[in-house]
């Protein structure tokens, strides 16, 4: 792959020591993989509540206490607006992107393939049902706009995972999502299959739920057996189901299942499809917008395809946007020449596309350009299936 276009300069090849910048939810889900591969001498985070604490014996310090060595390499483990703010701060100090620092997504996508011949990806989400208990107006996957929501056939769900992991060596964060995944009748079976077959290729297997449904005994036992991390998006301050959330959490605590509760989430209004943004007419403007937005995105695995971002794939699947050739990547044809297929998949997941950017990027405000909204606004069209 000598003709490959890389972002990182050659100084990254022989690194064994890095600094992690950021200890929010993205870092907590992915930092163990970095620590297991590299010597992490410090975790930088400006949250005063974390100052003086440690994680796996690694000190967490504010940036103003960080004493930089000339050969330090910084991996930013934040996303969205936080990522942009950190990049701007480091650049103001004279540090150079892709020489002195890089975002986690680019680092994971590129470093392992380039220097270890492994195709590693950051965060990948697999929706398994279009059905949900809520109707969030600004749903990232546009689920409320699907006229006849369905569960995915399990044969298709399983096939997608098999094809994906035939190409990919490792995923930092593999998310099983919906809709509401606890509505999916084959959920326990799918968790069992993914973990038993590909668990050694997944750093963090995660189930994302709104906690409106109490999981049955089979799902609880399966999550417990395979160490599934459950991420709860709690909207009870906007929708009256706080008692259900508490019951859900009590069950997880009783069973010793890992979980993270997000009760103060800030959503992003991408604008589309209600207000169509125009980020620029030129391909360069659209690509710059896509790359900047990338820090908050996961790749979406669905119906034999990888989409660069959840909203891009979700808009297509919901029928509110018509994707063009090059907006997504069909996985099965990549297996015909696996080495070349891996290279093409890696390029796509890094945002290196022949067409420059996804078609929807021209119209979507994205994570960094979108308006921050509360979940109360987010859920003005909430359902009643609680």
């Amino acid at each position: 792959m000598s003709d490959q276009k890389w972002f990182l300069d050659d100084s990254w090849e022989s690194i064994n020591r890095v600094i992690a910048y950021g200890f929010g939810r993205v870092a907590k889900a992915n930092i163990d993989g970095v620590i297991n591969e590299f010597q992490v001498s410090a975790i930088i985070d400006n949250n005063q509540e974390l100052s003086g604490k440690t994680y796996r014996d690694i000190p967490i310090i504010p940036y103003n206490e960080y004493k930089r060595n000339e050969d330090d390499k910084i991996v930013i483990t934040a996303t969205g607006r936080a990522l942009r703010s950190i990049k701007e701060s480091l650049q103001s100090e004279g540090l150079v992107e892709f020489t002195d620092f890089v975002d986690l997504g680019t680092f994971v996508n590129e470093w392992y393939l380039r220097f270890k011949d492994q195709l590693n990806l950051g965060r990948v989400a697999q929706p398994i049902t279009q059905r949900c208990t809520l109707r969030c107006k600004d749903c990232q996957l546009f689920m409320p706009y699907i006229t006849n929501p369905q569960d995915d056939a399990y044969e298709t769900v399983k096939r997608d995972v098999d094809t994906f992991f035939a190409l990919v060596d490792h995923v930092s964060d593999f998310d099983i999502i919906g809709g509401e995944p606890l509505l999916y009748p084959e959920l326990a079976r799918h968790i069992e299959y993914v973990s038993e077959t590909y668990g050694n290729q997944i750093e963090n297997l995660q189930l994302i739920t709104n906690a409106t449904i109490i999981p049955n005994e089979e799902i609880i036992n399966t999550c417990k057996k395979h160490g599934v991390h459950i991420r709860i998006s709690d909207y009870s301050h906007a929708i009256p189901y706080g008692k259900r959330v508490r019951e859900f959490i009590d069950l997880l605590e009783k069973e010793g299942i890992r979980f993270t509760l997000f009760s103060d989430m800030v959503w992003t209004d991408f604008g589309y499809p209600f207000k169509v943004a125009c980020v620029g007419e030129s391909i360069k403007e659209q690509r710059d917008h896509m790359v900047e937005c990338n820090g908050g995105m996961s790749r979406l695995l669905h119906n034999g395809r990888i989409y660069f971002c959840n909203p891009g794939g979700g808009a297509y699947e919901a029928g509110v946007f018509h994707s063009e050739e090059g907006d997504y990547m069909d996985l099965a044809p990549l297996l015909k020449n696996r080495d070349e297929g891996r290279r093409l998949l890696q390029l796509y997941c890094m945002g290196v596309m022949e067409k420059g950017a996804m078609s929807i990027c021209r119209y979507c405000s994205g994570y960094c350009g979108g308006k921050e909204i509360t979940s109360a606004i987010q859920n003005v069209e909430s359902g009643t299936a609680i």
Side-chain angles (χ1 to χ4, degrees), residues 36-55:
N36 293 340
E37 183 73 42
F38 303 94
Q39 177 190 348
V40 178
S41 53
I43 300 170
I44 299 172
D45 196 288
N46 293 319
N47 183 346
Q48 293 183 351
E49 294 181 0
L50 296 174
S51 183
K53 296 184 177 181
T54 62
Y55 178 76

Side-chain angles (χ1 to χ4, degrees), residues 272-295:
Y272 192 87
F274 305 104
K275 293 173 285 185
V276 177
C278 184
V279 303
E281 295 294 335
S282 73
I283 292 297
K284 182 182 185 306
E285 289 173 306
Q286 294 164 30
R287 171 165 173 73
D288 288 347
H289 175 63
M290 183 186 78
V291 170
E292 182 179 43
C293 186
N294 174 41

Side-chain angles (χ1 to χ4, degrees), residues 1-62:
M1 292 188 290
S2 59
D3 59 344
Q4 172 73 60
K5 172 181 170 58
W6 301 114
F7 291 96
L8 299 173
D9 70 19
D10 291 341
S11 66
W12 289 79
E13 180 173 3
S14 58
I15 64 166
N16 55 29
R17 174 178 177 270
V18 299
I19 309 294
Y21 199 141
F23 198 60
R25 63 178 179 85
V26 174
K28 290 172 183 175
N30 294 285
I31 201 168
D32 283 333
V34 179
I35 295 171
N36 293 340
E37 183 73 42
F38 303 94
Q39 177 190 348
V40 178
S41 53
I43 300 170
I44 299 172
D45 196 288
N46 293 319
N47 183 346
Q48 293 183 351
E49 294 181 0
L50 296 174
S51 183
K53 296 184 177 181
T54 62
Y55 178 76
R56 290 181 57 176
D57 296 326
I58 301 168
I60 303 174
I61 60 174

Side-chain angles (χ1 to χ4, degrees), residues 81 84 137-140 265-272 274-275 277 279 289 293 363-378 380:
R81 290 180 175 84
R84 178 170 61 179
K137 172 179 172 291
D138 295 297
C139 174
Q140 189 182 87
M265 297 195 329
V266 176
W267 289 70
T268 298
D269 178 3
F270 298 112
Y272 192 87
F274 305 104
K275 293 173 285 185
V279 303
H289 175 63
C293 186
Y363 309 107
C364 177
S365 297
Y367 270 102
C368 295
K371 178 183 177 183
E372 289 187 346
I373 54 178
T374 68
S375 58
I377 298 173
Q378 167 78 7
V380 294

